[in-house]
């Protein structure tokens, strides 16, 4: 997913290269080879899908409260702001004989493997460091050593993901040749969609502890062993994808050109601003209409991130009436809800994949502003529906006997439909803001990379706001997920209304021109 955690800032460096360099002539690459070169995106996204679907619920079993779990996700926005620009800049200037991008991709993937193993085995590491020696089926209290190890691994995982994503995107653009950047972006996104589907399928599986019984230990029961199994498979899949990418992405070594830096009158070398400084400088040169795009993008992400943060936790708590720190029956119900939520995210990814092919035709027919605003209203309805479904489920649950902790079949079906439905506006979110940005940048004769980097700030800042505020906000109203979803619905409504009045109107002909140009 592209995740909204800084994935687009890698493109920024293309517009702000300081000491430029020269690439030797590259022979045209076949479409099949280009497809295989982007395979690493699928491996990275496989692990990211597991991270989204399983880790927020899992860390609560280690002692971190529901209100504090949102703080854990601050690493994504921070990594997006810090890691992506720096890695993008250094990969632009890398003169390794292996190429500019592949050394960073290899390093990032190796760090991902380490981080995934640390997260998966955090319970066992915590036990070795001094956590309780009671069996995990009997002890449901906090395990602070495990929680600390887990959070460190989680942050390393996010920073490693950002290390890979930027250079991988840039490499596809480097190699696309006559196929064009549009084809390269489509291939990259297709691999991400496949990784999502496989990752969510893996996260919804409850049999890893049966297939690999040695994963269960006194500190790691069924849910933990399932997490281990899914993450170990993610490591194997990532290594496979990485190997294919390194083999088929034949980069030509990059030669630094010492003649390109300019000098001032006094002989001092004049350098361009790099990294975050270039983003700040870019605010002065934004094309007309871009501030409105930044505002609507920020509001849109304020409506999305609560669901991204708590979707599977919502299934476990409000729909399946479980509790990760409750009785055995409540823990079992919570884990089952998380698995069903992961399956819902799988459906979401499938619909997102199909919807992605329809975004461009829709924008050509009615215009990108109408498509974008409509998606915000869809999210408004969907987020309000989550609150209504929660109240329906809780009311229905109170009619059961105490030990009947489960989800009503009708409610479960409605939830899965809702997950699938949200794939459509999510596909729009991943496409239309960047298409509008490209069109606005084209009116100034270029600068798409810089505008995209600035746009990413309007994605990252809302994530920080939600990560800091969602947990305390939910705790204020009873420690559930309903308050955050209610606020998300309000933000989506505001975003749609603001978009109607402020988003720049881009004609169908202008949008077709940008699409044909392969932005």
């Amino acid at each position: 997913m592209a995740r909204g955690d800084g994935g687009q800032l890698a493109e920024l460096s293309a517009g702000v290269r300081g000491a430029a360099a020269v690439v030797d002539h590259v022979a045209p690459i076949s479409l099949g080879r280009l497809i295989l070169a982007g395979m690493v995106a699928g491996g990275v996204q496989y692990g990211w899908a597991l991270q989204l679907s399983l880790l927020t619920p899992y860390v609560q079993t280690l002692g971190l409260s529901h209100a504090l779990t949102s703080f854990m996700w601050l690493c994504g926005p921070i990594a997006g702001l810090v890691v992506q620009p720096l890695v993008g800049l250094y990969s632009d200037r890398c003169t390794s004989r292996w190429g500019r991008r592949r050394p960073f991709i290899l390093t990032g993937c190796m760090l991902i493997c380490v981080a995934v193993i640390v997260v998966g085995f955090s319970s066992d590491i915590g036990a070795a460091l001094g956590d309780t020696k009671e069996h995990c089926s009997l002890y449901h209290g906090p395990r602070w050593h495990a929680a600390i190890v887990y959070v460190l691994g989680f942050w390393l995982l996010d920073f490693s993901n950002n290390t890979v994503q930027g250079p991988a995107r840039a490499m596809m653009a480097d190699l696309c040749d006559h196929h064009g950047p549009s084809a390269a972006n489509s291939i990259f996104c297709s691999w991400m969609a496949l990784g999502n589907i496989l990752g969510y399928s893996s996260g919804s599986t409850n049999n890893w502890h049966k297939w690999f019984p040695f994963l269960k230990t006194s500190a790691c029961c069924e849910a933990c062993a399932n997490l281990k199994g899914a993450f170990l498979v993610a490591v194997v899949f990532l290594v496979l994808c990485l190997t294919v990418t390194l083999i088929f992405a034949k980069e030509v070594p990059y030669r630094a050109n010492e003649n390109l830096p300019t000098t001032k009158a006094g002989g001092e070398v004049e350098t361009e601003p790099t990294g975050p400084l270039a983003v700040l400088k870019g605010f002065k040169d934004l094309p007309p209409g871009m501030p409105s795009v930044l505002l609507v993008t920020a509001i849109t992400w304020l409506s999305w991130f609560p669901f991204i943060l708590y979707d599977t936790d919502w299934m476990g708590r409000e729909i399946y009436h479980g509790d990760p720190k409750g009785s055995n029956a409540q823990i079992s119900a919570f884990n089952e809800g998380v698995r069903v939520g992961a399956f819902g995210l799988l459906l979401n990814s499938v619909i997102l994949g199909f919807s992605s092919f329809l975004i461009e035709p829709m924008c050509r027919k009615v215009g990108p502003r109408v498509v974008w605003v409509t998606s915000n209203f869809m999210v408004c309805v969907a987020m309000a529906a989550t609150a209504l479904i929660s109240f329906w489920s809780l009311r229905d649950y109170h009619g059961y006997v105490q030990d009947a902790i489960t989800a009503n079949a009708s409610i479960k079906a409605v939830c899965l439909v809702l997950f699938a439905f949200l794939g459509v506006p999510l596909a729009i979110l991943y496409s239309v803001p960047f298409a509008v940005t490209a069109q606005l940048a084209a009116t100034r004769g270029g600068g798409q990379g810089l505008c995209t980097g600035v746009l990413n700030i309007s994605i990252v800042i809302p994530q920080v706001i939600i990560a800091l505020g969602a947990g305390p906000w939910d705790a204020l109203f009873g420690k559930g997920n309903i308050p955050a979803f209610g606020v998300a619905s309000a933000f989506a409504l505001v975003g749609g209304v603001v978009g109607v009045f402020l988003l720049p109107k881009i004609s169908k002909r202008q949008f077709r021109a940008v699409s044909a140009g392969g932005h």
Side-chain angles (χ1 to χ4, degrees):
M1 121 175 179
R3 324 179 320 241
D5 60 358
Q8 300 294 334
L9 271 177
E11 297 169 327
L12 167 64
S13 56
V16 294
R17 291 169 186 163
V22 176
V23 183
D24 292 331
H25 176 70
V26 183
I29 186 173
S30 67
L31 182 61
R33 197 179 190 93
L34 184 64
I35 291 173
L36 292 174
M39 190 173 176
V40 70
V44 173
Q45 200 66 22
Y46 185 107
W48 178 245
L50 290 175
Q51 189 176 353
L52 284 176
S53 59
L54 298 181
L55 295 192
T56 294
Y58 175 69
V59 73
Q60 296 176 68
T61 67
L62 302 179
L64 208 64
S65 69
H66 180 268
L68 290 176
T69 54
S70 60
F71 290 98
M72 183 179 66
W73 289 89
L74 281 172
C75 54
I78 292 173
L81 283 173
V82 177
V83 176
Q84 286 270 2
L86 295 178
V87 170
L89 173 66
Y90 293 143
S91 71
D92 278 340
R93 298 176 174 180
C94 180
T95 57
S96 167
R97 66 189 182 92
W98 298 102
R100 288 187 293 168
R101 318 298 182 185
R102 287 190 295 175
F104 292 89
I105 293 173
L106 174 62
T107 301
C109 286
M110 293 300 98
L111 290 174
I112 289 175
C113 293
V114 172
V116 161
I117 291 173
V118 169
V119 168
F121 286 82
S122 55
S123 291
D124 299 301
I125 297 173
L129 293 176
D131 281 340
T132 179
K133 300 301 180 183
E134 289 188 64
H135 197 276
C136 53
S137 61
L138 301 175
Y139 178 79
H140 300 146
R143 288 175 281 173
W144 296 115
H145 291 91
I148 293 171
V149 170
Y150 167 90
V151 171
L152 292 175
F154 186 94
W155 277 62
L156 177 61
L157 179 57
D158 244 25
F159 275 78
S160 304
N161 282 335
N162 278 276
T163 301
V164 176
Q165 284 181 342
R169 283 183 179 271
M171 184 181 68
M172 292 294 286
D174 293 342
L175 298 176
C176 64
D177 194 57
H178 62 282
H179 302 293
S182 182
N185 185 63
S186 297
I187 291 169
F188 195 88
C189 291
S190 297
W191 277 118
M192 291 177 65
L194 179 61
N196 268 339
I197 292 171
L198 295 176
Y200 291 137
S201 297
S202 179
S204 63
T205 300
N206 190 33
N207 295 319
W208 293 113
H209 70 282
K210 298 177 182 177
W211 298 332
F212 305 107
F214 62 88
L215 295 177
K216 291 180 64 176
T217 65
S218 62
C220 182
C221 289
E222 289 185 7
C224 172
N226 284 328
L227 182 75
K228 275 187 192 175
F231 270 31
L232 289 176
V233 172
V235 170
V236 174
F237 184 62
L238 176 59
V239 171
L240 172 64
C241 294
L242 172 66
T243 302
V244 172
T245 291
L246 295 180
I247 292 173
F248 287 94
K250 292 293 184 182
E251 291 187 278
V252 173
Y254 204 55
R255 296 185 290 107
N257 187 338
E258 298 177 356
N259 298 322
L260 286 180
T262 59
T263 59
K264 299 178 182 178
E268 182 183 354
V269 175
E270 183 177 3
T271 59
E272 291 287 337
T274 57
L277 292 179
V279 181
L280 297 177
K281 180 179 180 295
F283 276 106
K284 298 191 307 180
D285 304 318
L286 291 177
M290 194 63 195
S292 299
V293 172
L294 298 179
L295 175 62
V296 177
T297 299
I299 297 174
T300 302
W301 272 98
L302 285 172
S303 69
W304 265 106
F305 203 58
F307 184 78
I308 293 173
L309 190 64
Y310 289 132
D311 42 23
T312 54
D313 186 80
W314 171 67
M315 287 292 290
R317 287 179 180 274
E318 276 83 9
I319 306 304
Y320 276 75
H321 317 295
D323 186 344
K325 301 176 185 177
S327 65
N328 288 333
Q330 289 175 318
I331 293 173
S332 177
F334 180 80
N335 292 333
E336 179 64 19
V338 170
R339 285 190 291 271
V340 174
F343 179 72
L345 291 174
L346 166 63
L347 298 178
N348 177 278
S349 296
V350 172
I351 299 300
L352 185 153
F354 283 111
S355 300
S356 297
F357 294 103
L358 303 176
I359 302 303
E360 186 174 330
M362 286 193 297
C363 289
R364 290 185 177 188
K365 187 174 181 63
V366 300
R369 180 171 66 169
V370 174
V371 174
W372 190 351
V373 168
T374 302
S375 75
N376 273 16
F377 290 132
M378 293 170 67
V379 174
C380 173
V381 172
M383 291 299 104
T386 59
L388 294 176
I389 293 170
S390 299
F391 287 123
W392 174 21
S393 177
L394 292 172
R395 185 189 65 180
D396 193 53
Y397 166 59
H398 291 316
Y400 289 173
V401 295
Q402 185 174 358
D403 293 333
I405 304 175
T406 184
N408 180 289
S410 299
I411 297 175
K412 173 183 172 182
V414 170
C415 290
L416 293 178
V417 170
L418 182 64
F419 271 89
F421 169 79
L422 281 169
V424 177
L426 190 59
I428 294 171
L429 179 65
Y430 287 164
S431 302
V432 175
F434 299 100
V436 173
T437 298
Q439 171 59 39
L440 294 176
T443 63
R444 295 287 292 268
Q448 285 90 345
L450 186 58
C451 284
T452 302
V454 173
L455 177 69
N456 190 73
I457 293 180
S458 65
I459 298 174
V460 169
I461 291 177
Q463 294 182 19
V464 174
I465 293 172
I466 296 300
L468 289 173
W473 176 258
D474 285 342
L476 186 64
F477 289 92
K479 302 181 180 180
N481 298 298
I482 300 176
F485 291 168
V487 170
S489 179
F491 276 126
L493 178 61
V494 172
V497 173
V498 171
V500 169
F501 294 101
L502 294 185
L503 278 178
K505 185 176 181 181
I506 296 176
S507 69
K508 305 167 197 176
R509 185 180 67 178
Q510 288 174 316
F511 186 82
R512 284 194 292 267
V514 171
S515 300
H519 84 278

